[in-house]
Amino acid sequence: MSGIETRSATKVRVLVVDDEPSICRALAIALSRCGYETLTAQSGDGALAVLQSRHVDVLLVDFRIPDLRGDALYELAASMQPHLRHRTIFMTGDITARAQELIEECRCPFVRKPFDLALVTGAIAALLPRLERISA
């Protein structure tokens, strides 16, 4: 992964990808308050730009992004940073057949919109190895 900045030694870095600015903002605030370093992107292209330049510990992605579906972004992200294959959380307001299939294949957790922030932070903590967990 040459050219990708490594993660901070003290904070877990979470990339939130959602085309709704209010969701990005709310999650960035909540996750920062829990001690996570939070990056946001409101498009698939924006997320790919972040993934090309920065190490991300956890990917939190909406299934429905106008320029790139969440499942396609997941595959690209995992090819760029392989650990994301098992450290991705999907957000969705509805579960399509394709979304259900992907969730079953990758065994990635998902949260339904509207969501409780405690569920999101709990899902992030559950993905991280014990030594990297942040106590909220």
Side-chain angles (χ1 to χ4, degrees):
M1 288 192 310
S2 74
I4 296 178
E5 176 191 326
T6 58
R7 78 173 180 88
S8 165
T10 58
K11 289 192 176 187
V12 171
R13 188 177 290 155
V14 178
L15 173 57
V16 175
V17 186
D18 197 300
D19 61 315
E20 296 180 52
S22 60
I23 290 178
C24 283
R25 191 170 36 257
L27 285 170
I29 292 168
L31 296 177
S32 293
R33 287 181 179 164
C34 289
Y36 296 106
E37 179 181 346
T38 308
L39 306 171
T40 62
Q42 294 177 18
S43 67
D45 286 341
L48 292 174
V50 170
L51 291 165
Q52 287 174 343
S53 63
R54 311 275 304 266
H55 173 86
V56 173
D57 295 297
V58 176
L59 177 63
L60 182 57
V61 63
D62 189 4
F63 264 113
R64 294 191 179 204
I65 305 169
D67 67 331
L68 184 65
R69 289 185 339 252
D71 60 333
L73 176 58
Y74 165 76
E75 292 297 337
L76 290 167
S79 71
M80 296 167 76
Q81 298 190 34
H83 62 279
L84 292 177
R85 188 159 301 282
H86 303 290
R87 287 193 186 171
T88 295
I89 300 167
F90 291 102
M91 299 181 286
T92 186
D94 60 332
I95 298 290
T96 63
R98 173 63 188 133
Q100 186 63 41
E101 181 182 317
L102 177 64
I103 289 167
E104 289 172 6
E105 286 174 12
C106 72
R107 296 184 181 141
C108 293
F110 76 96
V111 291
R112 280 193 188 268
K113 289 180 175 179
F115 49 77
D116 180 326
L117 289 172
L119 291 175
V120 175
T121 57
I124 291 170
L127 289 179
L128 302 172
R130 186 178 184 118
L131 295 175
E132 291 182 321
R133 288 192 185 174
I134 295 176
S135 55

